[in-house]
């Protein structure tokens, strides 16, 4: 199978490329190499080299001898194209001969502030629309989307009196006063967090989350209108080798690792007891491989799956384990917060196990020990 991986030079995308190659597939990588994720052009193994995706991108176009539609074919079965998924000519070029697409290209994280909103919408929503239009024209029938747990907003909660409830967004006054747990919307009592399943209603609470919901809706519409199959893999907190650092678009594990590398303690927001599910990037890559090759055709052509470790941890635990693995200073709990953050969101992984046969393989302690010593990916600070 020939698979296009958009964003394939990035943190998660590069691991997906490796998993696909190891599975015997031919891979095409399309990546814009945005400076927020790439401070410099990545080194390519196996003799790979970057090729401009179209004559209009960057002016000069291809080196002589490459016509439109041609692509380099270095050893290892990977064709590398440098171009932006928002450009239709670039997308059409990349899709030639492709059987399936793993769409990883996106702006991620909470970013700096709301002034990032146009860039998020452009990269994540408009870019996905251009890609899907190209897939429809080219007759490519399978899409695996990099979804996210952020679509849920807060996770699953239960009130002792009212049963399952969905708390409202946390009030700034409560956060300022150090009241971080969301109360029951009916009685104001404490709630017990649980595991959120894929059938939970979406509730995006920041710009990035809103764009990830939009990507799923666009993918679902594409599947219904074309007869294709779209699978959204809702990644939880991904970490591992090659994670970007020193950029506001990185994840919490990267922030902690950067502090420890400078001999500084990790700064843990709120009280450190907020719960997440930290899943290793190799497990995420394996989930993509399973979705590309084995996902059933769902009703309506669209399905979503949580991709997580199945073992919730607190952010404070993550910081403590990283500090141990790095032999660095103990974490400092600051009480700071980000208004767009949610308190608890952890996942049920029953559906992906039952329908795709996927299960996480990398344990938390093993993954953290590896991450503590792995080379990070430098992004441009903005």
């Amino acid at each position: 199978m020939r698979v296009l991986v958009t964003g394939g030079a990035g943190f998660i995308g590069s691991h997906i490329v490796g998993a696909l190659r190891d599975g015997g597939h031919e891979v095409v990588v399309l990546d814009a190499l945005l400076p927020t994720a790439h401070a410099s052009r990545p080194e390519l193994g196996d003799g790979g080299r970057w090729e401009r995706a179209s004559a209009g991108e960057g002016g000069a176009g291809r080196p002589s001898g490459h016509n439109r539609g041609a692509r380099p074919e270095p050893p290892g079965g990977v064709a590398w194209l440098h171009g932006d998924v928002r450009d239709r000519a670039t997308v059409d070029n990349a899709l030639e001969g492709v059987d399936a697409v793993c769409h990883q290209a996106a702006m991620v994280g909470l970013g700096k502030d709301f002034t990032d909103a146009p860039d998020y919408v452009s990269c994540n929503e408009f870019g996905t629309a251009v890609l899907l239009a190209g897939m429809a024209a080219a007759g490519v029938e399978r899409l695996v989307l990099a979804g996210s747990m952020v679509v849920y907003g807060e996770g699953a909660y239960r009130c002792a009196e009212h049963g399952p409830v969905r708390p409202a967004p946390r009030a700034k006054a409560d956060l300022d006063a150090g009241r971080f747990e969301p109360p029951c919307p009916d009685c104001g009592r404490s709630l017990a967090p649980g595991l959120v399943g894929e059938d939970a209603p979406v509730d995006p609470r920041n710009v990035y989350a809103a764009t990830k919901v939009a990507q799923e809706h666009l993918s679902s519409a594409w599947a219904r209108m074309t007869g294709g199959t779209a699978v959204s893999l809702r990644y939880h907190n991904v970490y591992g080798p090659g994670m970007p650092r020193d950029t506001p678009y990185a994840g919490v594990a990267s922030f902690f690792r950067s502090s420890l590398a400078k001999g500084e303690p990790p700064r843990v927001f709120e009280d450190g007891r907020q719960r997440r599910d930290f899943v290793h990037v190799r497990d995420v890559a394996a989930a993509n491989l399973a979705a590309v090759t084995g996902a059933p055709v769902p009703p309506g052509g669209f399905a979503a799956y949580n991709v997580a470790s199945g073992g919730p941890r607190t952010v404070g635990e993550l910081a403590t384990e990283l500090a141990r693995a790095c032999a660095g200073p103990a974490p400092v709990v600051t009480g700071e917060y980000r208004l767009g953050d949610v308190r608890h969101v952890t996942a049920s992984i029953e559906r992906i196990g039952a329908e795709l046969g996927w299960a996480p393989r990398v344990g938390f302690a093993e993954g953290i020990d590896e991450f503590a010593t792995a080379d990070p990916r430098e992004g441009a600070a903005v």
Side-chain angles (χ1 to χ4, degrees), residues 32-56:
L33 302 181
L34 297 179
T36 51
H38 303 276
S40 60
R41 180 167 295 191
E43 294 294 327
L44 304 181
D46 297 318
R49 57 189 175 87
W50 286 103
E51 173 91 358
R52 292 195 186 279
S54 69

Side-chain angles (χ1 to χ4, degrees), residues 155-167 183-187 189-194:
Y157 291 85
R158 175 175 287 274
C159 173
E161 180 178 351
H162 296 98
V165 296
R166 293 189 63 78
C184 174
D186 297 318
C187 65
R189 295 179 181 174
S190 298
L191 300 174

Side-chain angles (χ1 to χ4, degrees), residues 201-302:
V202 297
D203 185 16
R205 298 191 176 186
N206 55 60
V207 172
Y208 172 58
T211 66
K212 298 309 285 186
V213 172
Q215 283 186 316
E216 290 196 348
H217 287 328
L218 287 167
S219 300
S220 179
W222 166 84
R224 287 195 303 272
M225 295 180 70
T226 66
T229 297
V231 171
S232 178
L233 298 179
R234 290 175 176 170
Y235 304 157
H236 283 246
N237 290 72
V238 186
Y239 74 98
M243 194 173 189
R245 70 175 188 185
D246 301 330
T247 164
Y249 307 96
V252 64
S254 180
F255 294 146
F256 291 164
R257 168 88 190 280
S258 292
S259 294
L260 289 162
K262 293 182 286 189
E264 301 172 356
R267 295 177 59 83
V268 180
F269 281 14
E270 301 188 17
D271 58 4
R273 292 197 287 269
Q274 57 270 43
R275 288 156 50 96
R276 298 290 187 269
D277 191 310
F278 300 98
V279 59
H280 196 276
V281 67
R282 284 198 299 275
D283 284 332
V284 172
N288 277 267
L289 179 61
V292 165
T293 59
V297 178
F302 176 85

Side-chain angles (χ1 to χ4, degrees), residues 137-154:
V140 181
E141 297 182 346
R142 182 171 288 267
L143 171 74
V144 179
L145 173 69
S148 173
M149 57 86 174
V150 296
V151 301
Y152 297 120
E154 290 285 353

Side-chain angles (χ1 to χ4, degrees), residues 9-12 14 37-39 42 242-247 375-379:
F11 166 44
I12 297 174
S14 60
H38 303 276
M243 194 173 189
R245 70 175 188 185
D246 301 330
T247 164
D375 290 335
R377 178 190 301 271
E378 293 188 13

Side-chain angles (χ1 to χ4, degrees), residues 11-367:
F11 166 44
I12 297 174
S14 60
H15 285 271
I16 293 171
V17 169
L20 289 166
R21 288 177 55 201
D22 290 346
H25 300 285
E26 186 181 359
V27 182
V28 181
V29 170
L30 175 64
D31 202 298
L33 302 181
L34 297 179
T36 51
H38 303 276
S40 60
R41 180 167 295 191
E43 294 294 327
L44 304 181
D46 297 318
R49 57 189 175 87
W50 286 103
E51 173 91 358
R52 292 195 186 279
S54 69
E57 189 274 321
R62 285 188 171 75
S64 60
H66 289 277
N67 298 318
R68 188 179 185 280
R71 51 179 56 80
E73 298 290 354
V78 178
W80 302 88
L81 301 178
H82 180 196
D84 199 309
V85 74
R86 291 169 287 187
D87 179 74
R88 179 60 187 274
T90 293
V91 167
D92 289 345
N93 181 27
L95 285 170
E96 290 183 8
V98 162
D99 303 296
V101 175
C102 284
H103 182 32
Q104 308 299 308
M107 282 185 67
V108 301
L110 289 183
K112 296 176 292 183
D113 52 42
F114 203 85
T115 61
D116 280 333
D119 290 334
Y120 274 99
V121 171
S122 176
C123 288
N124 298 359
E125 297 185 32
F126 179 65
T128 298
V130 172
L131 174 67
L132 292 172
M135 291 175 65
V140 181
E141 297 182 346
R142 182 171 288 267
L143 171 74
V144 179
L145 173 69
S148 173
M149 57 86 174
V150 296
V151 301
Y152 297 120
E154 290 285 353
Y157 291 85
R158 175 175 287 274
C159 173
E161 180 178 351
H162 296 98
V165 296
R166 293 189 63 78
R170 295 181 294 172
K172 186 176 186 298
D174 286 337
L175 296 172
D176 286 339
R179 296 188 293 269
F180 300 119
E181 294 290 342
C184 174
D186 297 318
C187 65
R189 295 179 181 174
S190 298
L191 300 174
L195 302 180
V196 65
E198 292 88 348
D199 293 330
V202 297
D203 185 16
R205 298 191 176 186
N206 55 60
V207 172
Y208 172 58
T211 66
K212 298 309 285 186
V213 172
Q215 283 186 316
E216 290 196 348
H217 287 328
L218 287 167
S219 300
S220 179
W222 166 84
R224 287 195 303 272
M225 295 180 70
T226 66
T229 297
V231 171
S232 178
L233 298 179
R234 290 175 176 170
Y235 304 157
H236 283 246
N237 290 72
V238 186
Y239 74 98
M243 194 173 189
R245 70 175 188 185
D246 301 330
T247 164
Y249 307 96
V252 64
S254 180
F255 294 146
F256 291 164
R257 168 88 190 280
S258 292
S259 294
L260 289 162
K262 293 182 286 189
E264 301 172 356
R267 295 177 59 83
V268 180
F269 281 14
E270 301 188 17
D271 58 4
R273 292 197 287 269
Q274 57 270 43
R275 288 156 50 96
R276 298 290 187 269
D277 191 310
F278 300 98
V279 59
H280 196 276
V281 67
R282 284 198 299 275
D283 284 332
V284 172
N288 277 267
L289 179 61
V292 165
T293 59
V297 178
F302 176 85
Y305 298 97
N306 287 327
V307 179
S309 73
R313 305 275 176 168
T314 68
V315 174
E317 285 181 278
L318 171 69
T320 298
E321 281 297 296
L322 263 176
R324 174 200 57 78
C326 293
V332 173
V333 177
T334 69
E336 298 171 88
Y337 64 86
R338 297 189 299 183
L339 196 58
D341 271 344
V342 296
R343 179 62 173 173
H344 305 294
V345 55
T346 57
S348 167
I349 56 174
E350 290 185 8
R351 178 179 291 180
I352 192 171
E355 297 186 11
L356 298 188
W358 174 89
R361 304 293 183 192
V362 182
F364 184 68
E366 173 192 353

